C-alpha cells in the first residue's frame, strides 16, 4: 500500500509557566512520541479517553500548530520512497507554496462553533476556494453549488446563515468546506459526536461515499467504538499521549491484546443476556499528562500490572503482521482477561 503520511516520534508539549518571572516549570505532554504510517485511501480510526492526545495528533499533522518535536513526512502521489515535505519542520510559507494547505483538511466536532455565524453559506464554502485555488466569478459559483449538491444540500441553501440549519445540515456544510480544495487527507475530529443518533448514520454514510468517490484518506477521531468499527479500516488506541495498540479493525474487535483496549471493548453495551463477560471497570482517574507515571503509563489502572510494568516502559511491538501492541504481557492478555472477567466477545 502507498503511504501518504509517516509520523516519527511526534510530540506536542505545552509549557507550564510559574513563579514571578513566569519561567517554564514543567510541561503538559499532550502527545508524547507517536510513530505511525497512514496509507493512501484508508480510514484510520483513533480512539481513547478525553485528553489522550488524539485531537492534538490530528491538529499537529495538518500543522494547525507546530509540534514540539518529531516529523510528519508527507508523500505526494506516486512519491513512495521520498517524502515531499516534513510538515512538522517546514516553514508556513513553504507549506503554502507547495499547496499543502488545501490537500490536508479538517472537520471539527461542533459545526455550530466551526462555522462563522455572520457568513452566508455560499461565502463559507467559497472562502477556501478563493484563497487557495484563486477561483472567482461564475466558476466559483458553480463550484460552490456542486459542493453543496455533493453533501445533499441545494441552491436554496446558498443564501442562508448557519443558525438556519439543523446540526446535521451544519455538519454537511463543514464537510463541503473541507472538500472544497480537492484534499487528499482529512482529519475528522469526532464529526458525529454533537449530532442526534439518527443523523449520525447519515453523516457517516456521506463520509463513506465521499471517501470512495474522491479517493480520500481519513483520520477518524472518536471515543465511540462502534462508529470506528463501522467506518475504519485500521484502529489506533491511544492512552496518555501514546499509541498503545494498532491493528486492522477486524483484529482489534476480535482479539485485542492491550488491557486498555479490552477495558474499552468491555464497555460496549451488548443486548445479549447470554453474554457472560463482566465489564472491566478501571480504577482511579487517568494520570495527569503533566506528570505521567514511570514505566508503563497504564500501570496505575491496569488489573494485570507486574513489577516490570512499574519500571520499564513497554515499546510498541509487532505481535503479528499489522498488529502492534505496547504491553509487557501482550501475549497473555486474552487468557488473563478470561480468567478474571470472563470470556471476551469476539463478535462486536
Ligand atoms: Fe498492564 Fe503491564 Fe501491560 Fe502496562 S505493561 S498494560 S501495566 S500488563
Amino acid at each position: 500500500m502507498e503511504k501518504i503520511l509517516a509520523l516519527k516520534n511526534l510530540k506536542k508539549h505545552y509549557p507550564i509557566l510559574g513563579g514571578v518571572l513566569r519561567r517554564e516549570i514543567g510541561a503538559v505532554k499532550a502527545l508524547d512520541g507517536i510513530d505511525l504510517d497512514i496509507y493512501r485511501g484508508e480510514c484510520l480510526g483513533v480512539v481513547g479517553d478525553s485528553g489522550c492526545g488524539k485531537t492534538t495528533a490530528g491538529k499537529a499533522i495538518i500543522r494547525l500548530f507546530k509540534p514540539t518535536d518529531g516529523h510528519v513526512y508527507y508523500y505526494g502521489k506516486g512519491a513512495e520512497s521520498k517524502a515531499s515535505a516534513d510538515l512538522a519542520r517546514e516553514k508556513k510559507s513553504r507549506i503554502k507554496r507547495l499547496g499543502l494547505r488545501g490537500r490536508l483538511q479538517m472537520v471539527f466536532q461542533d459545526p455550530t462553533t466551526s462555522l462563522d455565524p455572520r457568513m452566508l453559506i455560499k461565502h463559507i464554502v467559497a472562502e477556501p476556494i478563493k484563497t487557495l485555488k484563486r477561483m472567482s466569478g461564475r466558476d466559483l459559483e458553480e463550484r460552490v453549488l456542486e459542493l453543496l449538491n455533493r453533501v445533499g444540500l441545494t441552491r436554496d441553501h446558498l443564501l442562508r446563515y448557519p443558525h438556519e440549519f439543523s446540526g446535521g445540515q451544519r455538519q454537511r456544510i463543514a464537510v463541503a468546506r473541507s472538500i472544497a480544495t480537492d484534499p487528499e487527507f482529512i482529519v475528522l475530529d469526532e464529526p458525529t459526536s454533537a449530532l442526534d443518533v439518527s443523523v449520525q448514520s447519515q453523516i457517516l454514510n456521506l463520509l463513506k461515499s465521499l471517501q470512495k468517490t474522491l479517493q480520500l484518506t481519513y483520520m477518524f477521531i472518536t471515543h465511540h467504538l462502534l462508529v470506528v468499527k463501522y467506518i475504519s479500516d485500521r484502529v489506533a488506541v491511544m492512552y496518555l499521549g501514546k499509541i498503545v495498540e494498532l491493528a486492522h479493525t477486524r483484529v482489534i474487535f476480535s482479539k485485542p491484546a492491550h488491557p486498555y483496549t479490552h477495558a474499552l471493548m468491555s464497555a460496549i453495551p451488548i443486548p445479549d443476556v447470554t453474554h457472560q463477560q463482566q465489564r472491566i471497570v478501571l480504577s482511579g482517574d487517568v494520570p495527569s499528562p503533566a506528570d505521567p507515571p514511570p514505566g508503563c503509563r497504564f500501570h496505575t489502572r491496569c488489573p494485570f500490572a507486574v513489577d516490570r510494568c512499574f519500571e520499564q516502559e513497554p515499546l510498541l511491538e509487532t505481535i503479528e503482521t499489522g498488529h502492534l501492541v505496547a504491553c509487557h504481557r501482550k501475549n497473555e492478555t486474552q487468557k488473563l482477561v478470561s480468567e478474571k472477567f470472563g470470556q471476551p466477545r469476539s463478535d462486536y
Side-chain angles (χ1 to χ4, degrees), residues 140-204:
L140 179 62
E141 279 176 30
E142 279 174 13
R143 175 72 176 142
V144 170
L145 188 56
E146 182 207 329
L147 289 163
L148 286 189
N149 289 340
R150 267 196 192 280
V151 298
L153 299 173
T154 64
R155 184 183 289 277
D156 294 343
H157 297 112
L158 281 170
L159 298 177
R160 295 192 198 170
Y161 289 95
H163 73 269
E164 296 176 73
F165 293 89
S166 66
Q169 286 175 318
R170 278 198 285 267
Q171 200 57 297
R172 284 176 190 270
I173 296 161
V175 171
R177 184 179 57 179
S178 75
I179 58 170
T181 52
D182 299 320
E184 292 179 287
F185 175 76
I186 304 182
V187 176
L188 300 158
D189 186 9
E190 310 222 22
T192 56
S193 310
L195 306 177
D196 292 342
V197 176
S198 59
V199 182
Q200 287 185 12
S201 59
Q202 293 170 15
I203 298 295
L204 289 175

Side-chain angles (χ1 to χ4, degrees), residues 291-302:
D291 185 22
C296 173
R297 289 171 181 224
F298 188 55
H299 83 245
T300 54
R301 308 175 78 204
C302 181

Side-chain angles (χ1 to χ4, degrees), residues 98-272:
L98 290 171
L100 298 178
R101 272 273 163 260
R103 280 190 237 163
L104 307 158
Q105 286 288 338
M106 187 156 184
V107 174
F108 297 91
Q109 179 176 357
D110 186 358
T112 313
T113 50
S114 68
L115 302 177
D116 189 332
R118 291 164 302 178
M119 285 173 82
L120 290 169
I121 298 314
K122 72 171 193 175
H123 294 142
I124 289 176
V125 179
E127 193 176 37
I129 315 173
K130 275 201 286 191
T131 316
L132 298 170
K133 293 267 176 185
R134 308 239 176 265
M135 201 184 272
S136 59
R138 183 125 195 93
D139 289 347
L140 179 62
E141 279 176 30
E142 279 174 13
R143 175 72 176 142
V144 170
L145 188 56
E146 182 207 329
L147 289 163
L148 286 189
N149 289 340
R150 267 196 192 280
V151 298
L153 299 173
T154 64
R155 184 183 289 277
D156 294 343
H157 297 112
L158 281 170
L159 298 177
R160 295 192 198 170
Y161 289 95
H163 73 269
E164 296 176 73
F165 293 89
S166 66
Q169 286 175 318
R170 278 198 285 267
Q171 200 57 297
R172 284 176 190 270
I173 296 161
V175 171
R177 184 179 57 179
S178 75
I179 58 170
T181 52
D182 299 320
E184 292 179 287
F185 175 76
I186 304 182
V187 176
L188 300 158
D189 186 9
E190 310 222 22
T192 56
S193 310
L195 306 177
D196 292 342
V197 176
S198 59
V199 182
Q200 287 185 12
S201 59
Q202 293 170 15
I203 298 295
L204 289 175
N205 288 336
L206 171 69
L207 291 169
K208 263 196 155 189
S209 126
L210 288 174
Q211 185 186 20
K212 203 168 166 198
T213 333
L214 304 175
Q215 298 174 338
L216 298 168
T217 306
Y218 288 156
M219 177 173 177
F220 194 102
I221 297 166
T222 184
H223 55 264
H224 196 311
L225 283 169
L226 292 181
V227 166
V228 115
K229 184 184 179 196
Y230 179 67
I231 199 160
S232 305
D233 301 298
R234 288 190 304 152
V235 181
V237 182
M238 288 190 68
Y239 186 80
L240 215 54
K242 297 243 180 195
I243 293 176
V244 294
E245 186 158 10
L246 173 68
H248 285 100
T249 308
R250 182 180 36 80
V251 175
I252 281 276
F253 281 83
S254 59
K255 41 180 179 172
H258 196 281
Y260 178 59
T261 317
H262 272 286
L264 292 178
M265 295 291 170
S266 79
I268 298 175
I270 296 167
D272 177 0

